[in-house]
Amino acid sequence: MSMLQRLALPPTSAPDAPDRLQALIERTLELDRHVQRRARADLAALPELPLAPAARAQLGPKYPARAFDYQRELERDEDDAPASEAALLDEVARYFRGAIRPQSRHSLFNMVPEPSVESTAAAWLATAYNANSLMDAFGGEALLIEQQVARRIGRWAGWPDAMGISCNGGKFTIMYAIKSALSRIAPESPREGLPRDLVILCSEGAHYCVEHAASLLGLGSGRCLRVPSGSDGRMRPEALKRMLDEEHARGRRVAAIVCCGGTTINFNCEDTVEVREIADTFAREHGLPERPYLHLDSVIGWLYLSLLDADDTQLQKRVPDPRSRARIAEVLRRLRGVQGFDSLGVDFHKDGLCPYASSFFVARDHRFMDELGDGSYRYGDKDFHYGQFRAYRYTFENSRPGQGILAAWVNLRRLGRDGYGEYLAGLHDARNSLADALQRHGLFRVLNRASLGWELVFEAPFAPDLIELAPSYQDLALGFMQECWDRVNAGYDLPLFSIVPGYRIDNDPAAVTTGFLLYPMQQRSDGDWDEAVEHIAAQFHDFQARLRAQPRALGATPFEKPIR
Ligand SMILES: *Cc1c(COP(=O)(O)O)cnc(C)c1O
């Protein structure tokens, strides 16, 4: 077989022969069988765990991982010869080693759901067809659907003229927002570069990538100032006012305020009405031509917009559980001012049941098309005729994948606004069930009763004599976490959860402890939740018993970055 024949899939008479798709599907199934077989073989080779004998019965929340050193692996990898079929299959299996399996019932690590079959299949087809969505002359109607997704979510926020950009992740939505704001306040900057008097503000609880976004854009991470937030996870209004005034007094211009619209832990969410009023008043009092650009980082919180139109009676019906409803109602109250914002972010891969990466930057109008350009082009009516629409003038990418566009659209159409509202209520119900399971078991204490999200942070009651063995309570907790992770990394089917060092109970800086984090992404039976809690408890008792029998040094180990 010639090299080119080996690469083609399989020899076809015409490029659109139906067998090609069939061959793709069969090849995918073949790869899947091999990946699963290899993973199961690795799992079967592990010793039985006395504390959980059934933990080898099926794959766990991770494909079995191995420890390695990157530089050593790279030095070893010198074989340029074509790989045999068997070696190739093994390489594909190797790719997934150590990767998370959101399909597992024990995947409770972070906001990583299993995407819907419908959206995944559609995204997969877009991969197979291989269209490029940089402009409609190549990407076709994908570019219209991209705008329809943005318009739909924008409408939920109260923006009838919304348009937007499909992109690879929430971080890009923040970069698009900051860049739009910089161009808006300094219209010469796309051509001449950034002036030195610009800053942006964001909330203390905002995602850690905001500074990096500011840095990548050339603004500088030091030009991103964090506004202290209070116990309710919102920026303190007087702190926001003070910082705006201070920056103004120092001769700096505040280009944007990046607001929290829900975060992974504690669901920090601004009061959008209040932020808007403060920004408007600030601009009026200082006679500014425009108030600072307001972006809502709602890559998680966008899902709540699906219920923003529900009145109290409707909410009672659509979110029957009072605990779920209380949290959701408070978020909705805080989101009421989003209509006056300039843009927001959406991660369909986080809580939209879509595969990676399916993020959207959604803006209230299409000014971003000019603001994100190089300063040499203005969009006009002529651009919005089929055959003329070019996205690459304002996107980071030139060639651009369209999988996220179709995945998002399929779920939006299939579920509808009501379906997403129901999904949100279900996530909160799952959290309640998990909290009930912890309560029933009785060992662990739920710490985040005040959170507006559906995550669960709990505390483990380490014995006082063991706390004395470790340099600190946190080191003991980290030691326990690392053991749980080591087992899951090896491949055992045990709960994969996380740790939150420095967790502030109710956002109180005086009530800091180390919590553990469980992220339920779908409702399960009470029995399933009980089983997960029992597994964690069994590992907890095992950890303590062995530490007592065989005291060893804990702490001072460099630690993987926890979820923030
Ligand atoms: C996840 C997240 C981001 C980053 O989004 P990616 O999709 O991971 O790039 C930004 N902000 C918040 C609040 C997030 O939860």
Side-chain angles (χ1 to χ4, degrees), residues 327-368:
R327 292 191 292 264
I328 292 173
E330 172 60 14
V331 174
L332 294 176
R333 194 189 65 70
R334 295 190 189 186
L335 293 179
R336 296 254 175 252
V338 66
Q339 193 181 2
F341 274 47
D342 296 288
S343 58
L344 59 81
V346 180
D347 271 3
F348 282 102
H349 54 258
K350 279 204 179 119
D351 50 0
L353 294 166
C354 287
Y356 294 109
S358 41
S359 295
F360 276 77
F361 167 72
V362 179
R364 61 180 303 140
D365 52 43
H366 72 255
R367 274 198 277 177
F368 70 85

Side-chain angles (χ1 to χ4, degrees), residues 499-514:
I499 188 165
V500 198
Y503 178 73
R504 291 181 184 181
I505 303 172
D506 299 336
N507 273 316
D508 179 356
V512 176
T513 185
T514 301

Side-chain angles (χ1 to χ4, degrees), residues 71-86:
Q71 299 297 359
R72 212 160 303 145
E73 292 286 322
L74 292 172
E75 280 156 26
R76 246 202 322 252
D77 181 35
E78 286 184 330
D79 184 4
D80 280 329
S84 67
E85 168 69 1

Side-chain angles (χ1 to χ4, degrees), residues 168-172 174 207 209 262-264 297 299-300 347 349-350 359:
N168 272 289
K171 190 171 183 176
F172 278 106
I174 293 173
H207 197 263
C209 75
T263 52
T264 317
D297 181 11
V299 297
I300 297 173
D347 271 3
H349 54 258
K350 279 204 179 119
S359 295

Side-chain angles (χ1 to χ4, degrees), residues 434-447:
L434 183 52
D436 292 344
L438 282 162
Q439 188 108 42
R440 271 196 298 277
H441 186 276
L443 180 62
F444 305 112
R445 186 167 71 99
V446 175
L447 289 179

Side-chain angles (χ1 to χ4, degrees), residues 171 175 178 207-218 220-221 224:
K171 190 171 183 176
M175 288 181 65
I178 298 174
H207 197 263
Y208 59 86
C209 75
V210 183
E211 279 83 1
H212 190 206
S215 173
L216 286 167
L217 290 168
S221 53
C224 172

Side-chain angles (χ1 to χ4, degrees), residues 17-97:
D19 341 340
R20 187 171 185 280
L21 195 58
Q22 193 58 43
L24 266 173
I25 291 168
E26 276 160 23
R27 179 68 176 175
T28 310
L29 290 171
E30 196 179 344
L31 293 176
D32 173 55
R33 276 192 297 271
H34 189 74
V35 171
Q36 302 301 318
R37 199 162 47 229
R38 284 307 302 252
R40 279 199 306 273
D42 289 343
L43 184 61
L46 292 174
E48 186 180 287
L49 272 187
L51 69 96
R56 290 187 310 173
Q58 55 184 335
L59 293 187
K62 272 195 162 188
Y63 291 102
R66 72 188 168 109
F68 59 85
D69 176 84
Y70 279 90
Q71 299 297 359
R72 212 160 303 145
E73 292 286 322
L74 292 172
E75 280 156 26
R76 246 202 322 252
D77 181 35
E78 286 184 330
D79 184 4
D80 280 329
S84 67
E85 168 69 1
L88 205 56
L89 290 178
D90 278 348
E91 287 304 288
V92 174
R94 184 167 71 88
Y95 173 95
F96 293 102
R97 294 192 72 166

Side-chain angles (χ1 to χ4, degrees), residues 72 108 124 133 203 210 237 243 259 271 288 338 482 552:
R72 212 160 303 145
L108 295 163
W124 209 337
S133 59
S203 166
V210 183
M243 285 179 75
C259 296
D271 184 324
L288 305 178
V338 66
Q482 193 61 56
R552 62 199 150 95

